[in-house]
Amino acid sequence: MRHYEAMYIVDADTPDEVLDGIIVKYSKVVSEAGGEVVEAGKWDKGRRPLAYEIGKRREGMYLLMQFTSNSDVPKELDRIFKINDEIVRHIIVRQDPDEE
């Protein structure tokens, strides 16, 4: 099992109840595919201005998920992030456990 980190940005005006649902939805994708979510929630810095305007949005809410899984889970998560309109941008990176 490898360690991964997924950061994804949603619209900054999304209510907290909806954010909680989004976090649960993507955590469920990882766990149903055989991975284990270590931590998921709002990034410490949360709402931030975007480097450039994306779809007439100037700010975004940053969400962070750390998980362990085999190499198929990040591919599936990436595919799902790409087809959902609620995700503005995303990135999934493999973490080296020695650097933590």
Side-chain angles (χ1 to χ4, degrees), residues 5-9 43-44 62-65 81 87 89-93:
E5 182 175 87
M7 179 169 280
Y8 48 104
I9 306 171
W43 187 39
D44 293 339
Y62 287 65
L63 304 173
L64 181 68
M65 177 172 48
F81 280 154
I87 304 299
R89 287 286 186 269
H90 72 279
I91 187 170
I92 303 170
V93 294

Side-chain angles (χ1 to χ4, degrees), residues 2-72:
R2 294 182 173 168
H3 298 269
Y4 294 94
E5 182 175 87
M7 179 169 280
Y8 48 104
I9 306 171
V10 297
D11 187 14
D13 296 328
T14 306
D16 284 341
E17 308 83 45
V18 177
L19 281 178
D20 293 339
I22 291 170
I23 293 167
V24 169
K25 179 167 113 176
Y26 295 114
S27 297
K28 196 174 182 181
V29 168
V30 171
S31 58
E32 286 178 352
E36 179 185 343
V37 176
V38 177
E39 185 178 349
K42 290 182 189 174
W43 187 39
D44 293 339
K45 298 179 182 175
R47 184 180 179 133
R48 304 267 306 160
L50 300 173
Y52 52 90
E53 191 173 295
I54 302 172
K56 298 188 180 182
R57 294 182 186 100
R58 295 192 178 271
E59 289 187 323
M61 179 63 71
Y62 287 65
L63 304 173
L64 181 68
M65 177 172 48
Q66 296 177 340
F67 61 97
T68 58
S69 69
N70 60 22
S71 61
D72 294 335

Side-chain angles (χ1 to χ4, degrees), residues 69-87:
S69 69
N70 60 22
S71 61
D72 294 335
V73 176
K75 291 175 188 172
E76 177 63 13
L77 192 59
D78 182 56
R79 185 188 71 80
I80 291 171
F81 280 154
K82 286 179 182 177
I83 61 174
N84 281 305
D85 293 334
E86 62 195 10
I87 304 299

